Amino acid sequence: MEQLTVVKIGGNVIDNSENLHRFLLDFQALPGKKILVHGGGKIATELGTSLGVEAKMVDGRRITDVETLRVVTMVYAGLINKNMVAQLQARGCNAIGLTGADGNIIKAVKRPVKTIDYGFVGDLDENAVAAGTLGSLLQAGLVPVLCAITHNGEGQLLNTNADTIASSVAVAMSSVYQTSLVYCFEKKGVLRDVENEDSLVKEIRASEFEMLQKQGVVSGGMIPKLHNAFEAIKNGLAAVYIGKADELPRISEQDFGTRLTA
Amino acid sequence: MEQLTVVKIGGNVIDNSENLHRFLLDFQALPGKKILVHGGGKIATELGTSLGVEAKMVDGRRITDVETLRVVTMVYAGLINKNMVAQLQARGCNAIGLTGADGNIIKAVKRPVKTIDYGFVGDLDENAVAAGTLGSLLQAGLVPVLCAITHNGEGQLLNTNADTIASSVAVAMSSVYQTSLVYCFEKKGVLRDVENEDSLVKEIRASEFEMLQKQGVVSGGMIPKLHNAFEAIKNGLAAVYIGKADELPRISEQDFGTRLTA
């Protein structure tokens, strides 16, 4: 099977133009088929503030009212996505910037209101990703750059977690490609001692995950991240990597951050 | 040759959600391959005003400074484009929203500074459109929705006239498809008496264009529009139509607005 790398970046790369520039150079140099997934970052919050749209957070999650949806659509799908595409094109990488609405590649379900009304937020089920359409773009030599906006198939755009998009896309493509998923974040990977970048845990097997939680090595926001990663592996991914964006070139030697395997 | 219809809409359709809704219904119902090209409209000006970015116009042309480029990228490529795509998807039309940077489909040249510095505005030459990439999207069953943003291939996005994009795309595709170009604007077409919608000129041949200018039937902003249209016909288009968006369904009987032919 041909190889496919799905790389997800977040605010720590996007918010700093020098980091982003360097990352895009490394991304375009990755061998084989690839897909980039990006979140938002500070720019959306800043634009919202300029427009008098306050960021509403509950339990660390953004509440997406109609005004916030306008802002994230403009910033994620417009400003950030198109500038990244233009920069990749300048380096000879034939990028194509997409939301989930484009080509109906990711169809989400508006999150049901339980205790919290998240507003226009989309959740993905196992049939969310149109692997065939994404596959035909890849086969045409295009490099999809996906932002964190999807749709419900009934005309409504939905704000959707970029980590979830990345893992859903990777899992969906794993039936056709040998797919690796790479999460770039601010640390070198999972650290035994969060203050010490030299304490990197190089590999975690699914069977070790529970123990590492008990030991406190994996805690806080890393727990759902790793939980989702192991779910994705169970569903067919070759491997999931979590590490620092500026070490991306090491992925070709499979020596990037923390490697999660079955 | 298979038929392709390239339809261009402007602010008068985009600015009114009812008009836009109705137009998108008519557009998705068009038979054969199709491409939609859209301009901006008032939303960009309004967002600019909210952000303290004043619209700068010289001779009816928008000057695109770096702040204005940010605004139009957010509004054209983000807000307008993605909402149109989501609405088309809801009607079963497999739309894919793109700028010229995406898939490198339209590469422009930043307009040289002569008497006026237009800023980040792109002009198109005869090799601007990547007909092969657009063709492979059409063959994959996708319906490209192009906004008025291109790039220079060196990482710079450029604000580009949507009429020009529409005609350049139509001409480029005319080597592979029997291509018609449809400009939707606020009038029924070219009118003998601009105050009287019943005075529609149903057809204009290239040889009649000069005479109609002398008679004053074609004047003002219609002159460059028709000039570009006849250039496009000379370069291979089957026909160019100019008419009112709400009469679009009549295009299948070739009875829409004013028909320009060789």
Side-chain angles (χ1 to χ4, degrees):
Chain A
M1 276 205 280
E2 205 177 352
Q3 292 209 348
L4 170 68
T5 310
V6 179
V7 181
K8 188 259 166 178
I9 55 169
N12 60 315
V13 177
I14 295 165
D15 288 336
N16 178 310
S17 66
E18 223 167 280
N19 286 357
L20 181 58
H21 179 85
R22 181 168 162 181
F23 168 79
L24 293 174
L25 278 176
D26 291 340
F27 177 78
Q28 67 85 17
L30 284 182
K33 304 285 188 204
K34 53 207 173 194
I35 295 175
L36 179 59
V37 180
H38 65 88
K42 285 183 206 152
I43 306 170
T45 311
E46 285 167 9
L47 180 69
T49 306
S50 302
L51 295 172
V53 181
E54 288 299 313
K56 294 174 201 69
M57 310 289 282
V58 174
D59 297 344
R61 303 233 181 193
R62 194 189 285 270
I63 302 296
T64 307
D65 59 11
V66 73
E67 285 305 314
T68 304
L69 182 66
R70 273 175 68 98
V71 168
V72 297
T73 303
M74 292 195 287
V75 173
Y76 299 176
L79 195 62
I80 295 176
N81 190 273
K82 298 314 169 190
N83 275 294
M84 276 205 277
V85 167
Q87 286 186 50
L88 286 168
Q89 287 287 348
R91 286 154 196 141
C93 174
N94 200 1
I96 185 167
L98 304 168
T99 67
D102 298 297
N104 194 24
I105 52 172
I106 308 170
K107 196 155 96 180
V109 175
K110 185 171 179 297
R111 186 172 299 166
V113 178
K114 290 176 186 166
T115 50
I116 302 175
D117 182 355
Y118 286 95
F120 296 104
V121 167
D123 290 327
L124 307 184
D125 65 24
E126 63 271 25
N127 302 312
V129 177
T133 305
L134 267 177
S136 58
L137 297 176
L138 289 170
Q139 287 310 314
L142 294 163
V143 176
V145 178
L146 309 179
C147 72
I149 306 281
T150 64
H151 75 143
N152 70 348
E154 292 162 15
Q156 181 64 57
L157 296 170
L158 294 167
N159 194 3
T160 303
N161 183 276
D163 282 4
T164 310
I165 289 180
S167 66
S168 294
V169 164
V171 168
M173 302 312 288
S174 66
S175 58
V176 188
Y177 294 93
Q178 192 189 326
T179 307
S180 299
L181 171 59
V182 180
Y183 285 117
C184 296
F185 81 135
E186 64 275 15
K187 302 271 181 196
K188 276 196 170 178
V190 176
L191 304 175
R192 285 206 167 270
D193 171 3
V194 78
E195 303 296 321
N196 180 3
E197 292 263 334
D198 291 335
S199 69
L200 179 71
V201 181
K202 284 217 157 197
E203 185 160 4
I204 304 178
R205 294 177 172 278
S207 57
E208 299 164 340
F209 180 40
E210 206 178 323
M211 200 185 61
L212 287 168
Q213 283 182 67
K214 278 184 188 151
Q215 292 174 352
V217 174
V218 179
S219 62
M222 280 303 272
I223 294 177
K225 226 181 184 65
L226 263 61
H227 178 78
N228 290 341
F230 283 118
E231 282 298 307
I233 289 166
K234 209 186 289 174
N235 289 317
L237 283 202
V240 179
Y241 298 84
I242 300 188
K244 214 168 189 164
D246 59 9
E247 295 190 340
L248 188 66
R250 299 172 62 148
I251 198 81
S252 11
E253 288 95 52
Q254 307 189 350
D255 181 28
F256 172 83
T258 300
R259 183 165 184 258
L260 310 177
T261 55
Chain B
M1 275 207 278
E2 204 177 351
Q3 293 209 346
L4 169 67
T5 310
V6 178
V7 181
K8 187 259 167 179
I9 54 169
N12 61 315
V13 178
I14 296 165
D15 289 336
N16 178 310
S17 66
E18 224 167 279
N19 286 356
L20 182 59
H21 179 85
R22 181 168 162 182
F23 168 79
L24 293 174
L25 278 175
D26 292 339
F27 177 78
Q28 66 87 16
L30 284 182
K33 304 286 188 204
K34 54 207 172 194
I35 295 175
L36 180 57
V37 180
H38 65 89
K42 286 185 206 151
I43 307 169
T45 312
E46 284 167 9
L47 179 69
T49 305
S50 302
L51 294 172
V53 181
E54 288 299 312
K56 293 175 202 70
M57 310 289 283
V58 174
D59 296 344
R61 305 232 182 193
R62 196 188 285 271
I63 303 294
T64 308
D65 59 10
V66 73
E67 286 304 315
T68 303
L69 182 66
R70 272 174 69 97
V71 168
V72 297
T73 303
M74 291 195 287
V75 173
Y76 300 176
L79 195 61
I80 295 176
N81 189 273
K82 297 314 169 190
N83 275 294
M84 276 204 279
V85 167
Q87 287 186 48
L88 286 168
Q89 287 287 347
R91 287 155 195 140
C93 173
N94 201 0
I96 184 166
L98 304 168
T99 67
D102 298 297
N104 193 23
I105 52 173
I106 309 170
K107 195 155 97 179
V109 176
K110 187 172 179 293
R111 186 171 299 166
V113 179
K114 290 176 187 167
T115 51
I116 301 174
D117 182 356
Y118 287 94
F120 296 104
V121 166
D123 289 327
L124 306 184
D125 66 23
E126 63 272 25
N127 302 313
V129 177
T133 305
L134 267 177
S136 58
L137 297 176
L138 290 170
Q139 287 310 314
L142 294 163
V143 176
V145 177
L146 310 180
C147 72
I149 305 282
T150 64
H151 74 145
N152 71 346
E154 291 163 15
Q156 180 63 58
L157 295 171
L158 294 167
N159 194 3
T160 303
N161 182 275
D163 282 3
T164 310
I165 289 180
S167 65
S168 295
V169 165
V171 168
M173 301 313 287
S174 66
S175 58
V176 188
Y177 294 93
Q178 192 189 326
T179 307
S180 300
L181 171 59
V182 180
Y183 284 118
C184 296
F185 81 134
E186 64 275 15
K187 303 271 181 195
K188 277 196 169 177
V190 176
L191 304 176
R192 286 209 167 268
D193 172 3
V194 77
E195 303 295 320
N196 180 2
E197 292 263 335
D198 292 335
S199 69
L200 179 72
V201 181
K202 282 216 159 197
E203 184 160 3
I204 303 177
R205 293 177 173 279
S207 56
E208 300 164 340
F209 180 38
E210 207 178 322
M211 200 185 62
L212 287 168
Q213 283 182 67
K214 279 184 190 154
Q215 293 175 351
V217 174
V218 179
S219 63
M222 280 303 274
I223 294 177
K225 227 182 182 66
L226 262 60
H227 178 78
N228 290 341
F230 283 117
E231 283 297 307
I233 288 166
K234 209 186 288 173
N235 289 317
L237 282 203
V240 179
Y241 298 85
I242 300 188
K244 212 165 189 166
D246 59 9
E247 296 190 338
L248 188 66
R250 300 171 62 149
I251 198 80
S252 9
E253 288 92 52
Q254 308 190 349
D255 180 29
F256 172 82
T258 300
R259 183 164 184 258
L260 310 176
T261 54

